[in-house]
């Protein structure tokens, strides 16, 4: 091949690249996100997850640039409002015979040097949770308690990679919050065998 032809091929490919790389209009987009944003406009108002959310009280939150719904919690917590009993200091509430009011709560989370009840609950304002720096956190936003120590899972959750959606994939986005799945007092899940395994295989091996 002569130098001249090679030069022409290079020039033509370069030109095509320049011409094609930035073509839009007529259904062409800069990237996949532009395409999704533009084409999903047609579906707004027609496809919705709202029917699946009926009967679930939700609140809207914005975290890490994502706005979505999560279930409301305070209405679900048996012993809320805490101040129905916790209107005076703990020392005055504790009975002399050492009986525990919350005997059913066992803390199996971090080790005892790292965590006790007061890491998350504030004796002087029991109706809210408390951050490590002493700021109050609403029970409805308890994910802000968890994110102090579990930043990675929190970020995955805001993006939708950790956790689970409620309803369908159509907007509005509604996601379960941390405490819908993890008991804050005993958050670890035991490793389990899959629910189904091949019994036939076991018979064959016997
Ligand atoms: C029906 C009354 C009642 C309600 C409602 C109640 N508590 Fe208590 N709580 C007590 C009593 C009594 C004690 C003191 C005895 C004890 O230590 O168990 C106590 C103790 C505690 C302690 C200290 C436990 C310890 O071992 O040091 C924490 C933390 C606590 N409560 C959190 C809460 C939170 C959070 C709520 C609301 C979600 C709540 N309580 C609602 C009665 C109540
Ligand atoms: C890691 C943080 C954390 C620690 C430590 C912790 N809690 Fe909680 N606790 C929570 C959160 C978050 C909730 C609300 C859960 C929900 O939304 O269902 C809660 C809920 C409760 C409730 C209300 C439960 C109900 O269903 O009525 C009581 C009572 C309570 N905690 C007591 C305690 C006591 C007593 C201790 C220490 C033995 C303790 N907590 C330690 C985070 C914590
Ligand atoms: C003060 C720090 C702190 C806070 C606040 C906290 N955690 Fe933890 N968490 C730990 C530590 C430390 C461990 C034990 C080490 C580990 O497994 O990462 C742990 C363990 C866990 C585990 C078990 C990890 C496993 O390997 O199975 C889960 C799940 C979890 N936490 C969820 C939560 C949730 C949900 C919240 C909020 C309600 C929360 N944590 C709040 C520090 C914290
Ligand atoms: C839909 C339920 C669900 C929600 C919501 C959820 N998790 Fe989890 N999470 C799980 C399951 C299931 C595992 C266990 C995964 C495994 O064992 O492989 C897990 C594992 C974890 C672990 C252990 C480490 C790991 O990644 O395996 C931590 C820590 C944790 N979650 C924190 C959180 C926090 C913080 C939130 C809220 C921001 C949250 N989770 C929301 C279901 C949930």
């Amino acid at each position: 091949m002569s130098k001249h032809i090679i030069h022409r091929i290079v020039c033509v490919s370069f030109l095509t690249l320049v011409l094609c790389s930035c073509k839009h209009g007529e259904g062409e987009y800069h990237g996949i996100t532009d395409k999704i944003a533009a084409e999903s406009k047609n579906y707004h108002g027609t496809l919705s997850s709202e029917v699946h959310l009926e009967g679930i009280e939700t609140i809207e939150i914005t975290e890490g640039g994502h706005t979505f719904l999560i279930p409301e919690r305070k209405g679900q917590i048996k012993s809320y409002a805490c101040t129905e009993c916790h209107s005076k200091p703990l020392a005055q509430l504790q009975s002399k015979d050492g009986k525990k009011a919350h005997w059913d709560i066992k803390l199996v989370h971090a080790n005892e040097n790292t965590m006790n009840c007061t890491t998350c609950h504030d004796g002087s304002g029991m109706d809210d949770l408390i951050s490590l720096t002493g700021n109050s956190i609403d029970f409805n936003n308890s994910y802000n308690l968890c994110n102090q120590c579990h930043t990675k899972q929190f970020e995955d959750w805001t993006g939708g990679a950790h956790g689970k959606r409620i309803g369908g994939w159509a907007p509005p986005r509604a996601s379960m919050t941390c405490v819908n799945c993890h008991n804050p007092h005993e958050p670890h899940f035991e490793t389990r065998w899959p629910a189904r395994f091949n019994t036939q295989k076991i018979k064959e091996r016997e």
Side-chain angles (χ1 to χ4, degrees):
M1 235 190 284
S2 81
K3 256 190 187 166
H4 183 69
I5 295 180
I6 295 178
H7 183 76
R8 251 172 69 187
I9 294 174
V10 171
C11 271
V12 168
S13 355
F14 184 69
L15 248 160
T16 2
L17 250 173
V18 169
L19 285 177
C20 295
S21 64
C22 202
K23 194 173 132 200
H24 41 111
E26 292 162 6
E28 300 257 347
Y29 305 97
H30 282 294
I32 190 72
T33 39
D34 287 355
K35 185 171 179 181
I36 292 170
E39 299 207 345
S40 58
K41 276 203 188 96
N42 307 332
Y43 295 102
H44 280 261
T46 55
L47 273 182
S48 166
S49 285
E50 239 144 69
V51 284
H52 304 294
L53 301 175
E54 266 169 35
I56 305 173
E57 202 187 321
T58 53
I59 57 164
E60 189 180 90
I61 62 164
T62 300
E63 293 293 335
H66 303 275
T67 299
F68 55 102
L69 303 169
I70 58 169
E72 187 274 346
R73 285 304 301 166
K74 286 191 272 197
Q76 307 297 319
I77 301 171
K78 267 187 293 153
S79 48
Y80 200 83
C82 315
T83 46
E84 279 172 23
C85 300
H86 289 277
S87 51
K88 41 188 180 180
L90 261 181
Q92 289 176 34
L93 281 176
Q94 271 146 0
S95 70
K96 280 154 209 79
D97 56 12
K99 271 200 186 130
K100 288 282 177 195
H102 308 296
W103 52 271
D104 52 337
I105 293 176
K106 205 169 89 207
L107 193 59
V108 189
H109 192 156
N111 71 49
E112 288 164 29
N113 288 325
T114 314
M115 194 183 274
N116 61 28
C117 308
T118 57
T119 310
C120 306
H121 298 292
D122 178 11
S124 61
M126 209 59 110
D127 278 347
D128 288 311
L129 296 159
I130 189 168
S131 80
L132 298 173
T133 50
N135 295 323
S136 61
I137 298 173
D138 194 287
F139 270 90
N140 280 340
N141 305 107
S142 54
Y143 56 83
N144 276 332
L145 187 71
C146 318
N147 80 13
Q148 303 175 100
C149 306
H150 303 293
T151 319
K152 188 183 165 292
Q153 285 79 11
F154 170 74
E155 280 170 3
D156 288 350
W157 174 75
T158 58
H162 187 107
K164 191 173 189 281
R165 292 215 9 179
I166 309 165
W169 289 99
R173 172 185 164 191
S175 294
M176 287 185 182
T177 186
C178 315
V179 292
N180 287 131
C181 300
H182 298 284
N183 177 342
H185 307 128
E186 278 179 85
H188 176 71
F189 288 117
E190 286 311 315
T191 313
R192 293 190 309 182
W193 289 104
R196 284 159 190 252
F197 59 98
N198 193 333
T199 45
Q200 193 57 41
K201 273 262 158 62
I202 288 180
K203 273 190 200 132
E204 281 167 11
R205 280 183 194 144
E206 272 165 2

